[in-house]
Amino acid sequence: MSDSILQLDRVSRTFGTTKAVDQVSLDVHAGEIFTLLGPSGCGKTTTLRLVAGLEQPDNGEIWVRDRLVASVPRNTFVPPHQRMMGMVFQSYAIWPHMNVFDNVSYPLRIRRMKRAEIRERVERVLNLVGLDGLESRPAPMLSGGQQQRVALARALIYEPAVLLLDEPFSNLDSKLREQMRVEVKQLQKTLGITVLFVTHDQTEALSLSDRIAVMSDGHAIQVAEPKVLYEQPEDSFVRDFLGKMLKLPGTVVSVDGSGKLEVSIDGGSQSVIAGAHVSKDLVVGNAATISVRPEDVVVGGEPGAESNLLEGTIENLLFVGDRYECYLQLAGNAVMISLPRDTRKKEGDTLTVYLPEGAVSAWQPE
């Protein structure tokens, strides 16, 4: 695409007999936050290191701003310091023997820039990350959030083409993580910089990203905007990795021409119509798994609804502050939904729930 700033074309990296990255192709647009999301060992950090030049691919090619920086077939490899990228590591990598100014200015000093220009750039970037006035503070006297800001400032100081962030919030407490997510998003908007972000945290990915690549076993399973991934997963791994999912097993009893599908559950005593994602190979008589996000479940039924109404028994109610976690025995399966904190329901009560057709998907059983 014309606005592409980073492209990976069938890139692979193998360690021994393990394929950490397997034929990954990605297209990152200028000015977006593009996130690699997945569990530990899925290949996301290795992909980031391939982009940075800290690893060499076994196959494929990597392009930055129409410049080839790595290619196995063309025997090309541009070293990290020539790729115009800034990187923030999980550990921040702040030099303890330097103060804030020296840490941030280091990339410019090794490029032998003039002192006046170095000072001007450092002052500007420290102001951007909220560290103005702390130029002389020694690194050991910085808080975790301040250390992260120093690492960000150092990565931004020479105006990189792409900013690489490798689990940058993992060492911060929960409140500071929330604060830094907002600050990084605002900083990215202000600068218009392209960010390649690695995380295993779903909330970070969904809240920060313009697009996300969900990774598993070295593959990019699905690439899409956060809302699309959450509401329209194309793969059962993506479905289960993002958020929570209420799942019930059953048997397909009918399929109509519009793509909707009816599944009987609880031995045929109840049925549910799926009108969202429906696996293509499901036909009448097949076993199927229906799924719906717990937040889409309508507690107490739906006025006028004639289908997708299920009854269950409350087994456990756990008060968690803003709501109750309700563990419901539904169609022979234990599922969890939320009830408002002013609920009058108690354990042992019968509860009717409605599953909206447009929110219900049907999948091949795993």
Side-chain angles (χ1 to χ4, degrees):
M1 296 178 64
S2 58
D3 64 344
S4 292
I5 196 167
L6 172 65
Q7 292 176 308
L8 283 72
D9 182 18
R10 293 168 293 178
V11 172
S12 297
R13 181 69 170 102
T14 301
F15 297 100
T17 59
T18 301
K19 278 202 169 183
V21 178
D22 191 2
Q23 296 284 308
V24 168
S25 294
L26 299 172
D27 191 351
V28 180
H29 304 163
E32 75 172 341
I33 298 181
F34 189 99
T35 297
L36 304 177
L37 172 67
S40 297
C42 72
K44 57 187 185 295
T45 294
T46 301
T47 302
L48 189 82
R49 290 174 62 85
L50 287 165
V51 171
L54 301 175
E55 299 284 351
Q56 294 194 36
D58 302 318
N59 294 290
E61 295 184 334
I62 301 173
W63 297 76
V64 179
R65 282 184 175 170
D66 297 323
R67 178 192 181 197
L68 186 65
V69 297
S71 173
V72 175
R74 305 189 211 193
N75 195 30
T76 299
F77 182 79
V78 176
H81 66 280
Q82 294 179 10
R83 295 193 181 194
M84 282 302 293
M85 293 185 180
M87 185 164 182
V88 177
F89 296 90
Q90 185 174 345
S91 62
Y92 310 143
I94 300 299
W95 289 293
H97 63 289
M98 295 183 184
N99 61 20
V100 170
F101 182 92
D102 291 339
N103 263 287
V104 175
S105 65
Y106 183 77
L108 303 183
R109 287 188 283 118
I110 63 173
R111 288 169 173 80
R112 301 185 181 279
M113 292 182 66
K114 294 181 179 179
R115 288 185 180 180
E117 185 176 357
I118 289 175
R119 180 159 293 279
E120 180 184 345
R121 285 204 185 190
V122 171
E123 288 177 356
R124 184 169 66 247
V125 77
L126 288 181
N127 182 63
L128 277 172
V129 300
L131 288 177
D132 44 316
L134 298 181
E135 293 87 347
S136 300
R137 179 164 296 185
M141 295 181 64
L142 298 172
S143 67
Q146 289 171 335
Q147 288 185 46
Q148 190 202 51
R149 290 182 176 91
V150 170
L152 272 171
R154 186 177 58 193
L156 293 168
I157 193 69
Y158 59 94
E159 300 171 357
V162 182
L163 176 63
L164 309 177
L165 303 179
D166 184 12
E167 302 266 14
F169 310 131
S170 61
N171 293 325
L172 304 178
D173 62 52
S174 59
K175 285 192 175 181
L176 192 51
R177 279 202 302 271
E178 293 176 9
Q179 177 186 337
M180 290 307 302
R181 283 202 300 269
V182 175
E183 292 187 13
V184 168
K185 184 70 172 180
Q186 187 57 49
L187 181 64
Q188 186 267 340
K189 284 182 179 179
T190 300
L191 297 176
I193 193 170
T194 304
V195 177
L196 183 61
F197 179 58
V198 162
T199 185
H200 67 276
D201 188 293
Q202 302 167 30
T203 302
E204 287 179 3
L206 293 171
S207 61
L208 271 176
S209 311
D210 294 295
R211 288 189 301 145
I212 300 171
V214 180
M215 298 192 66
S216 176
D217 294 329
H219 299 276
I221 303 298
Q222 185 178 353
V223 179
E225 297 175 0
K227 196 169 187 290
V228 173
L229 282 176
Y230 190 81
E231 296 180 349
Q232 303 170 37
E234 297 174 354
D235 182 90
S236 58
F237 177 83
V238 178
R239 175 199 69 192
D240 294 338
F241 187 75
L242 284 174
K244 296 179 180 178
M245 190 66 74
L246 185 157
K247 294 188 288 185
L248 297 171
T251 304
V252 179
V253 293
S254 68
V255 181
D256 69 17
S258 67
K260 292 184 179 180
L261 177 148
E262 184 177 3
V263 178
S264 68
I265 58 177
D266 197 17
S269 62
Q270 304 182 86
S271 66
V272 172
I273 297 173
H277 172 91
V278 174
S279 294
K280 296 178 182 178
D281 297 332
L282 286 176
V283 296
V284 174
N286 279 176
T289 298
I290 65 161
S291 65
V292 61
R293 298 287 182 190
E295 62 267 26
D296 291 327
V297 174
V298 180
V299 176
E302 180 77 357
E306 297 180 356
S307 63
N308 289 34
L309 290 168
L310 303 177
E311 279 193 351
T313 303
I314 299 175
E315 291 191 328
N316 290 288
L317 277 176
L318 305 181
F319 181 65
V320 293
D322 61 335
R323 67 191 188 282
Y324 279 93
E325 289 183 350
C326 173
Y327 290 84
L328 190 66
Q329 191 66 24
L330 190 65
N333 298 269
V335 299
M336 193 278 283
I337 61 173
S338 294
L339 294 181
R341 64 183 180 184
D342 62 352
T343 185
R344 296 183 179 276
K345 291 291 183 180
K346 59 184 183 298
E347 293 174 357
D349 282 356
T350 297
L351 188 67
T352 299
V353 296
Y354 169 69
L355 312 184
E357 289 182 16
V360 178
S361 297
W363 302 78
Q364 294 275 6
E366 297 172 8

